Structures are given as structure tokens and as C-alpha cells.
Amino acid sequence: MPSNIRESDASCLEMIRSIIRSTVDDNSKWVEIFVDFENAQPTEDEREIYNMAEDVLHDCDEVLADVTSYGNGCYIERSQLKNDSDIQALKVLMTKLEPFVARTCSYYEHVAKIEKIVPIILWELSSGPLPLEEQLANKQSIAKQFARLIGFVLDFDVVKMRTAQITNDYSYYRRAKHIVYQDFEDQGVPELPQVQMFLCEGNPMLKALCNGVDAYMHSHQTLPINNTTDVFVTIINVCRFMLANEECLARLTDSSKHLCCRVMTGLVILFDHVDQNGAFVSNSSIDMRDVVRLIKQNTTQEQSDCLLAGLRFTTKHYNDSSTPKSLRQMIEVK
């Protein structure tokens, strides 16, 4: 929450916003707004938070470029070591592994940045008394930053999942370190237990995103849950409109279309994480069939498979009995 808003004022705003929006918001339809996820620029009022997010996103770009270039890491060097009891050879290998381990630690350090910026962005997008679609139209640059953050989260987790050597290098380094130095924990790259947990997580950046949402909701406990989920639904409906309207489509590049699809996917996952009934029930606030249709229509087969796999395997409620069979078939059949 911005520092210039007192806690009592914030509580009052939350109550007013909840009352107003409960009577005017309709989550079942498109939101006919074009949000320029590529070029929207901040107003003076938005600049501080926009720049805070920009700093995080700049690091996101560097982290994504680095993890994408990780390749086979030290796989060849590790496979050439035949005898783990050869301490000297292990020391040489550890020296080669250390830059890769340091890179992995830098990925983990990015988690805290995401967890910190998400509540700030959500507050900025939802703290006004206007209907959410108007709030979003007035805060396009902040919506752009949120979209870019979601895009990074999904992209990083896909690359990390496909790059097994990240985990293998780190695990081998830890084992070698204990063989070589035994109780001398101050030798080599410092070990962080959280890094191992980060690597064990199937989708670590998505978890960080969810943690950020949880932190936002915890700090605004007077707000009904649907005030948070409505933000997600509104942005999804904006993306649906942009991907279905011919005039909007003509303005979108292929990368913007892909970003819209990633944003919808990420927000469905967040909605499903927060909402008690999830995103897939027949009376969901999200038109899931339209979301799936638009993802398939506006992405390549590989991109579509990846995003739909995200809906299947990273959501809490997809496997619930309440998910309609027809929706499952739509998601699972290519």
C-alpha cells in the first residue's frame, strides 16, 4: 500500500469500493477496453510504482535470458568424473560448478522481488472506488507491468522445468562439497536450504506469484475475496475482448497475442488458487471455454500445449469432480 494512505483511510476505501463494486461489476462479459501491454506509459501519479515494477522486470529479463542459456551446465564435466573419492578431481569440478550454482542462487533471490512487488501492483489496480474496468482503463501502464510479470513467471517455469541440469548441478555441488570439506561449511558457495526447496518446486516463480497474492489478501483482510478475484477476471475479460475483436487483433503483434494468452492462463491459475470453488466449475466467473478457445486460436501448437498444460497441472481444482467433462475434453484434446 502506498505510504501516503493511512490505515484508517485504506479501510474506509476498501469498504466503499466493496459496496460500489458489488452492485456494478458483471464478470460474465467482455470488457471492451484495449490495454496496450507493449507501449502503455505511466502518468505522473503512476510513475513511482511503474518504475518499481520496471526495476523488477528488468531483472526478470536478465534472469530469463540467463536461465534460457543455461544449457547442459556442467553435465559433461560431471559425467567424466569416475571416482567420487578423488578429492582433488572433486575440487576441480567444484570450481567449474560454482558459477552455475551462483546462477541458480540468483534465480532464487528473484523470488523475494516478485513476492514484494505483486501486492503493490494489486493495490494500485484495485484501490480506487471506480468499477474495475474503468480503473483498469485508467491504470494501463500498471496493468502492462502486471501482464509482463505474469508472462515472465510462466516463461521462467517452463524453461526451468525443461532444464534438468540446473537441479542436477546444484545437487551434485552440494554432495561434492560435503565430501571435500565435510564440516567446513564456510568453504565454497554458501548453501541456502531455501534454494533446494526452490529447485524442488515444480513451478517456483508461479509459487512466488501466488505468495504475493496471498500477502496482498492477508494485508487487506477486510476485503472480500471476490475483490481480488474480480481484478483477475476483469483483466481476463479485457484479454478476451482484445483477442476476439477484429479491430483490436489488427493492432496486436504475434508477441502481444501470445502475452494475452499467457496473462489469461496465469490469471486463471491465480483465480483458481484463491477462489473457494475454483475456475473450472460450470458457474465460474470466468468463461473458461472462451479462454481455451482463444488460446488455441491465437498461439502455435507448442505454445497452446504449454499453456493448457499449465491449466491442467498447476491449478488446485482442475481435477475436482465439479469440472465439466466437456471442458476437460476441450483442454486435453489437441
Side-chain angles (χ1 to χ4, degrees):
M1 177 190 312
S3 58
N4 61 339
I5 297 181
R6 295 177 303 174
E7 186 174 349
S8 59
D9 293 337
S11 297
C12 183
L13 277 172
E14 290 168 356
M15 183 177 296
I16 293 171
R17 182 170 65 255
S18 178
I19 294 171
I20 293 175
R21 287 182 176 166
S22 66
T23 61
V24 300
D25 283 351
D26 180 359
N27 293 330
S28 63
K29 60 184 181 181
W30 286 345
V31 176
E32 298 186 7
I33 300 170
F34 183 90
V35 176
D36 192 342
F37 288 138
E38 289 189 336
N39 302 306
Q41 295 299 311
T43 64
E44 280 305 312
D45 290 341
E46 297 166 1
R47 191 170 302 280
E48 180 182 0
I49 292 175
Y50 179 92
N51 288 341
M52 289 172 61
E54 187 65 27
D55 289 342
V56 175
L57 288 163
H58 177 268
D59 291 344
C60 285
D61 291 340
E62 292 186 344
V63 166
L64 185 60
D66 191 81
V67 73
T68 301
S69 67
Y70 193 97
N72 288 323
C74 269
Y75 171 75
I76 294 176
E77 291 84 349
R78 286 190 285 105
S79 63
Q80 289 174 344
L81 184 66
K82 304 301 182 184
N83 184 4
D84 284 355
S85 62
D86 186 339
I87 301 300
Q88 192 58 41
L90 274 178
K91 286 184 177 180
V92 172
L93 179 56
M94 285 180 64
T95 301
K96 295 179 179 179
L97 279 166
E98 282 177 359
F100 291 97
V101 172
R103 289 167 70 174
T104 300
C105 290
S106 73
Y107 305 155
Y108 164 72
E109 290 167 358
H110 200 63
V111 165
K113 298 177 183 179
I114 292 177
E115 292 176 345
K116 182 177 180 180
I117 195 63
V118 167
I120 297 172
I121 290 176
L122 284 177
W123 172 260
E124 189 70 9
L125 289 177
S126 64
S127 60
L130 295 173
L132 279 169
E133 55 267 27
E134 293 183 39
Q135 182 78 357
L136 193 61
N138 292 335
K139 300 281 186 178
Q140 290 212 12
S141 72
I142 307 301
K144 179 184 82 169
Q145 302 297 64
F146 192 33
R148 291 174 60 199
L149 187 64
I150 293 170
F152 161 77
V153 163
L154 297 187
D155 288 346
F156 178 93
D157 285 349
V158 168
V159 176
K160 183 259 181 186
M161 191 177 299
R162 292 174 176 174
T163 312
Q165 301 312 324
I166 296 174
T167 301
N168 293 342
D169 282 347
Y170 189 82
S171 298
Y172 197 100
Y173 180 83
R174 290 186 70 215
R175 184 161 63 89
K177 180 180 175 182
H178 287 293
I179 292 173
V180 172
Y181 297 115
Q182 297 180 5
D183 294 332
F184 297 97
E185 293 295 331
D186 59 336
Q187 302 292 326
V189 177
E191 286 189 32
L192 298 172
Q194 301 94 325
V195 176
Q196 191 67 35
M197 294 174 63
F198 168 81
L199 292 174
C200 290
E201 183 69 39
N203 297 278
M205 293 300 176
L206 179 59
K207 182 175 176 61
L209 190 65
C210 291
N211 288 345
V213 173
D214 290 341
Y216 170 76
M217 295 177 63
H218 180 75
S219 63
H220 300 286
Q221 296 185 35
T222 57
L223 279 176
I225 290 177
N226 68 305
N227 275 54
T228 302
T229 55
D230 284 355
V231 174
F232 304 153
V233 174
T234 302
I235 299 176
I236 289 171
N237 288 342
V238 168
C239 292
R240 286 174 54 213
F241 169 71
M242 290 167 59
L243 291 171
N245 179 273
E246 290 186 6
E247 291 184 9
C248 291
L249 273 175
R251 298 172 61 183
L252 294 176
T253 62
D254 287 343
S255 63
S256 290
K257 293 176 187 176
H258 187 210
L259 178 59
C260 283
C261 291
R262 285 164 25 238
V263 168
M264 288 195 299
T265 302
L267 290 175
V268 168
I269 295 168
L270 290 179
F271 181 97
D272 195 72
H273 172 75
V274 171
D275 188 83
Q276 182 178 3
N277 297 316
F280 302 99
V281 292
S282 57
N283 62 342
S284 171
S285 299
I286 301 172
D287 187 338
M288 284 302 306
R289 287 177 175 79
D290 196 46
V291 168
V292 174
R293 179 184 67 82
L294 289 169
I295 288 173
K296 290 184 175 183
Q297 186 174 301
N298 291 281
T299 57
T300 66
Q301 185 68 57
E302 181 181 4
Q303 292 168 344
S304 174
D305 289 347
C306 185
L307 294 176
L308 296 180
L311 295 180
R312 293 177 63 187
F313 301 117
T314 65
T315 49
K316 291 170 62 176
H317 295 93
Y318 179 77
N319 289 320
D320 290 358
S321 59
S322 57
T323 301
K325 291 182 179 179
S326 59
L327 178 57
R328 288 180 192 272
Q329 184 177 25
M330 189 176 183
I331 291 173
E332 295 175 16
V333 175
K334 296 182 181 181

